[in-house]
Amino acid sequence: MKLALRGWWADEPPALRLALGIVFALGVLLRLAYLRQPMRYDESVTWLYFIGKPWHVAVSSYPFPNNHLLYTLLAKVTSAVAPGTPWAMRIPAFLAGVAVLPLTYAVGRTLFSTHAAAIGTALVAASTPLALYSTNARGYSMVDVAFLALLLLLARARDGRASPGLWAGVAAVSAAGLIAVPTMLYPLGAAVLWFTLVQALERPQDAWRRLAPLAAALVAAAVVALLAYQPIIRANGVRALAANKFVAPSPWPDFFQEFLPSVGDTLASWTGPFPLVTWPLLAIALAFGAARSTRLTREGIPVATATLAWCALLLLTGHHAPFARVWQWFIPIACLLAGVAVELLLRRWLTGRVGAAVPRVAVALCAATVAFAFASDDVGTSRDSGLVRGAASVAREPSRALQPGDRVLAPIPSNAPLQFYMLREHADTATLSTPDDSVRRVILVLDPAEGQTLRWAEAAGILDTSRFGPVSPAMHATDMDVFVAERKGATP
């Protein structure tokens, strides 16, 4: 694979190589800029319960699905460089997010066309959802890498270049993706179905000769993944992985009610950093690129078709609507399909001059989108994964005045980031769980952007105004309001 990339790079015109270099640099810059963003809820939970715990806890604890096992293990290593710092625990996600850029180009070059690959890579470099999860201490960007690498390996096998080493690579990549995040089952199945359909339709007479080693590789991947999850299964049972509330089947009426909004959320997130109203344009570009891709590409059976079929099967079998982030592994393919649509338009408008126009279009498209991403701060303001920008300030200031008998009340999503930063400030995190009968003063931390107001806190039973009051504002930090209430009748 490395030799193929070097060969392609050497064969590309100098203008295209320069364009790709600029695109890669812009993509890395966008990801670097947010590597030190404030800790979000999900990754704070990952640190508090897994990365920041001893090794035996990290590999066996699974109270909720935040323990992306492969990511947890790698982040424990990188966090040793600078313990408790956000950027250190995000290094594995960042490196995987950067690797997505050349891998997208390689997949585009292999399955689509050189021009579509360049334009699609430009869109991937500027994609704010991909940039967000390249700077978020979770395993999703690793799944992106695993899917793209798997497509490249299977494409080589389709072209008759299979070897024991290649099938070992398929097994290793599949296992790594499953250990990173169990939702790797979606892209893994899509890639396998694509390869199976290609073999069945293109070479039906000897399809089994290539499908047999694929089946062996998948069995090996499943065995490795099960071995990696054994400590979790022994400690928590298999239901913790396969039947937790985030993956358990929903009643059919609930599933159909949740599914269409989840599709809308997914398409809306894919258009980042552009406004929500642009998602119909994305849908049109994807449909046009997919419909016309057979005229321009070397896919054989479209990857999008296999993906749609496999994911539809899993959704109907499990009837549970996943979060939008679960689908981000398909963003590179969606961008490549958009690249196909752009190339077809350029062929119509610039007959005979497409090769000269594509490098300029790719750079202009990437530069304009990255500039818009910075101007709109789409990554920094995205609420996906639990945005809490003021936790560091709240932990730094009120924590210094904490007294015995204080209770800090911080609902989701503020609680985990606040605890993370309180630990960094060496504040007394026991105040987050002070027993009710010992509480003399309540420090209430609310996030107005999540609809958390004093009236909401009282209605939700978080603040008992019959026991505590009057409530006084203490400070305001970005996205966060802090209030203080003394226990009624308490002796000063």
Side-chain angles (χ1 to χ4, degrees), residues 258-311:
E258 297 165 357
F259 178 67
L260 286 180
S262 74
V263 172
D265 290 343
T266 300
L267 288 174
S269 71
W270 286 6
T271 61
F274 298 108
L276 180 64
V277 294
T278 61
W279 79 259
L281 296 177
L282 172 65
I284 292 171
L286 292 183
F288 180 68
R292 303 295 294 276
S293 66
T294 54
R295 297 187 180 186
L296 190 68
T297 71
R298 298 183 286 273
E299 290 176 288
I301 302 298
V303 173
T305 301
T307 297
L308 183 62
W310 174 254
C311 292

Side-chain angles (χ1 to χ4, degrees), residues 107-158:
V107 169
R109 186 71 155 69
T110 302
L111 297 181
F112 296 88
S113 71
T114 301
H115 297 153
I119 295 168
T121 303
L123 293 172
V124 164
S127 168
T128 51
L130 292 178
L132 172 61
Y133 280 95
S134 298
T135 55
N136 189 288
R138 315 291 302 289
Y140 292 108
S141 57
M142 291 180 172
V143 172
D144 304 343
V145 168
F147 176 56
L148 294 171
L150 193 59
L151 285 178
L152 286 175
L153 290 168
L154 293 178
R156 288 179 64 85
R158 178 198 65 175

Side-chain angles (χ1 to χ4, degrees), residues 325-339:
R325 70 184 75 115
V326 170
W327 304 110
Q328 77 161 37
W329 53 270
F330 193 72
I331 292 179
I333 302 300
C335 290
L336 289 170
L337 289 174

Side-chain angles (χ1 to χ4, degrees), residues 398-451:
S399 292
R400 295 173 179 172
L402 289 175
Q403 307 167 6
D406 284 350
R407 172 69 184 272
V408 179
L409 293 175
I412 294 174
S414 302
N415 55 349
L418 183 59
Q419 185 176 353
F420 173 84
Y421 284 109
M422 286 177 70
L423 287 170
R424 289 195 64 187
E425 295 292 330
H426 305 290
D428 183 9
T429 56
T431 55
L432 291 165
S433 56
T434 305
D436 287 344
D437 56 359
S438 302
V439 177
R440 299 175 59 86
R441 184 176 66 160
V442 165
I443 299 172
L444 182 62
V445 182
L446 299 177
D447 185 350
E450 294 286 336

